[in-house]
Amino acid sequence: MASSCLTDIEITWSKRSGFLETQGYRLRPRYQPDWRPSWITASGEDTILGFVAEDAITLLWDKVLDAIRINDDVPVMLKHVKKDSSEPQINQLFSSPQLRIHKRNHCVPLLDVLEDPSDPDHVILVFPMLQRLDRPSPATIGECVDFVEQTLEGLAFMHEHQVAHRDCSVRNIMMDARRMFDYNWHPVLPSRKRDGSGMLEIKTTRTESGGVRYYFIDFGISSMGQDFVLGIDGQEEAPELKLGDDIPYDPFKLDVYILGMAYKRLFMTDHRGAEAILPLVRAMTVIDPGQRPSAADCIRIFSQMKEKWSSHYLKGFLRPYKPGTENFFTTFLLDWVNAMANFWTEGLEEPEVAPPLSPFLS
């Protein structure tokens, strides 16, 4: 059955609910002081509703929790961080009036900074609620190309401002999926509806919805103004991180490697069809950091590669792949289906990718 007791970290967040209300943010029912599990009867018996009740969904992260912005009922994410760390400073830099309007800025917008008088060593950063990259995965090669272009320009923009992310892996890149789902996904279980009533139905692709915008999140181990750094934290085991935590390395070339591995994991490990991107991935993931291109060089390389691809290729579908399940016949059949789809859509206008939604309001 679902847990009718809060964990220690959930209790900590629940104690903040009063302060957050005064700042204009409301936590889910589970974290309200007067919460009682909705699936437990008056006599104290568990019911089967514990498997589906929204307030049975527990917290997965210790520093992050979702909330509702009270004045417009918009979901947001809260992150509890040290006040003197680089994370608030970096987020505030890229959300400053001068930088937040730049099209190439793909750092998650910072909506608010909350200072709790009872916790003077920390602040709570407020961000928009974003969706995971695989909810759903890109459907076409063109959508893969769009992802590569946006993330490369975003990485180059960070590097131009002397910020290295140092953990720009698949889990730390998310998408603004408002056009696809209208905020109807649950922040903890993104495959379910926001109210927990059932599974989230995917009715449209990125292209059909007018395009999505990608954002880098989590600057917890990022550095600013440092050409060489120490430390082996992060989700991707880059070659330089295996040398030990006392060997300095270039954090900007580390970012290039990590993002290259993100492309490989997203488009080539579990899918087939985007092999034309492989030369870029190989260049970005060279073992020797000194031989890797910069983020700006990657943009130039990818731009030259893209010039050789036809609209037919970009319309092709990215297909799921499991080792041992693909043979000559299935490959031929899938390629034939792609060719027929391209033939029947020849002459039709390409779906126009709309500009990003208006900036998140702070």
Side-chain angles (χ1 to χ4, degrees):
M1 282 293 182
S3 174
S4 59
C5 297
L6 300 181
T7 64
D8 289 344
I9 188 61
E10 286 182 311
I11 291 173
T12 300
W13 275 108
S14 179
K15 290 180 178 178
R16 297 183 183 126
S17 62
F19 164 73
L20 292 170
E21 287 266 349
T22 67
Q23 302 300 302
Y25 301 95
R26 178 173 296 126
L27 300 183
R28 283 186 280 128
R30 181 178 178 90
Y31 305 110
Q32 296 300 321
D34 58 351
W35 174 67
R36 296 291 182 273
S38 63
W39 66 91
I40 294 181
T41 65
S43 60
E45 296 181 1
D46 277 343
T47 68
I48 195 171
L49 293 177
F51 289 109
V52 296
E54 192 284 325
D55 62 327
I57 300 175
T58 57
L59 184 61
L60 297 180
W61 318 283
D62 57 347
K63 297 180 181 179
V64 179
L65 183 63
D66 59 284
I68 293 294
R69 193 164 56 189
I70 297 173
N71 67 352
D72 55 8
D73 198 38
V74 168
V76 296
M77 300 302 293
L78 311 176
K79 186 172 185 182
H80 185 254
V81 302
K82 289 184 177 180
K83 190 174 185 178
D84 61 357
S85 69
S86 62
E87 188 164 9
Q89 182 181 2
I90 291 173
N91 278 291
Q92 288 173 322
L93 169 67
F94 288 112
S95 288
S96 64
Q98 296 85 355
L99 297 187
R100 70 184 303 167
I101 61 174
H102 278 262
K103 180 181 179 294
R104 297 169 57 234
N105 184 355
H106 289 268
C107 300
V108 61
L110 178 64
L111 306 180
D112 204 351
V113 180
L114 310 179
E115 298 190 39
D116 186 349
S118 66
D119 187 11
D121 295 331
H122 295 81
V123 292
I124 296 176
L125 307 180
V126 183
F127 301 106
M129 188 176 77
L130 303 173
Q131 176 63 292
R132 283 174 41 169
L133 296 178
D134 59 351
R135 297 287 189 236
S137 297
T140 65
I141 309 305
E143 292 179 1
C144 297
V145 169
D146 179 52
F147 174 79
V148 172
E149 288 182 322
Q150 288 196 43
T151 49
L152 281 180
E153 75 174 5
L155 189 67
F157 187 81
M158 275 192 281
H159 289 184
E160 288 170 15
H161 291 84
Q162 291 301 301
V163 172
H165 191 287
R166 298 175 63 185
D167 198 16
C168 49
S169 59
V170 170
R171 292 184 182 180
N172 283 335
I173 306 172
M174 301 187 77
M175 63 179 177
D176 175 6
R178 287 178 289 175
R179 283 198 180 98
M180 300 178 71
F181 302 115
D182 191 29
Y183 277 137
N184 196 31
W185 66 91
H186 195 279
V188 177
L189 298 178
S191 60
R192 290 182 57 180
K193 294 181 180 178
R194 178 178 163 186
D195 62 4
S197 62
M199 301 304 292
L200 184 65
E201 187 177 356
I202 300 174
K203 298 181 179 180
T204 182
T205 66
R206 289 160 165 80
T207 302
E208 291 167 346
S209 65
V212 301
R213 187 166 177 83
Y214 299 100
Y215 290 101
F216 293 98
I217 67 165
D218 192 357
F219 293 86
I221 61 173
S222 301
S223 57
M224 184 162 58
Q226 295 177 266
D227 293 331
F228 290 92
V229 297
L230 298 172
I232 58 174
D233 293 331
Q235 301 173 58
E236 190 64 63
E237 294 184 358
E240 50 264 55
L241 300 185
K242 297 178 181 179
L243 300 177
D245 56 8
D246 58 345
I247 305 296
Y249 57 87
D250 182 340
F252 303 103
K253 291 299 180 73
L254 172 68
D255 278 354
V256 170
Y257 179 92
I258 296 173
L259 190 56
M261 289 301 297
Y263 300 154
K264 183 176 181 180
R265 298 188 191 286
L266 271 176
F267 307 140
M268 298 167 194
T269 301
D270 298 321
H271 295 86
R272 291 293 181 268
E275 287 76 18
I277 300 174
L278 190 56
L280 174 68
V281 171
R282 287 174 175 159
M284 296 175 70
T285 56
V286 170
I287 298 299
D288 181 0
Q291 298 301 312
R292 295 174 202 152
S294 67
D297 289 335
C298 288
I299 293 176
R300 287 189 285 270
I301 293 170
F302 191 64
S303 179
Q304 293 170 358
M305 292 168 56
K306 185 183 172 185
E307 290 177 356
K308 303 176 182 178
W309 300 334
S310 68
S311 59
H312 289 314
Y313 175 70
L314 297 177
K315 291 178 184 176
F317 295 105
L318 192 69
R319 56 184 187 266
Y321 167 77
K322 290 184 179 180
T325 63
E326 199 165 85
N327 53 42
F328 172 80
F329 175 74
T330 57
T331 301
F332 172 81
L333 181 61
L334 288 168
D335 288 343
W336 181 83
V337 169
N338 267 339
M340 289 300 98
N342 290 334
F343 173 79
W344 288 110
T345 57
E346 186 174 7
L348 298 179
E349 290 187 7
E350 290 277 350
E352 183 178 351
V353 177
L357 291 176
S358 56
F360 295 95
L361 299 177
S362 57

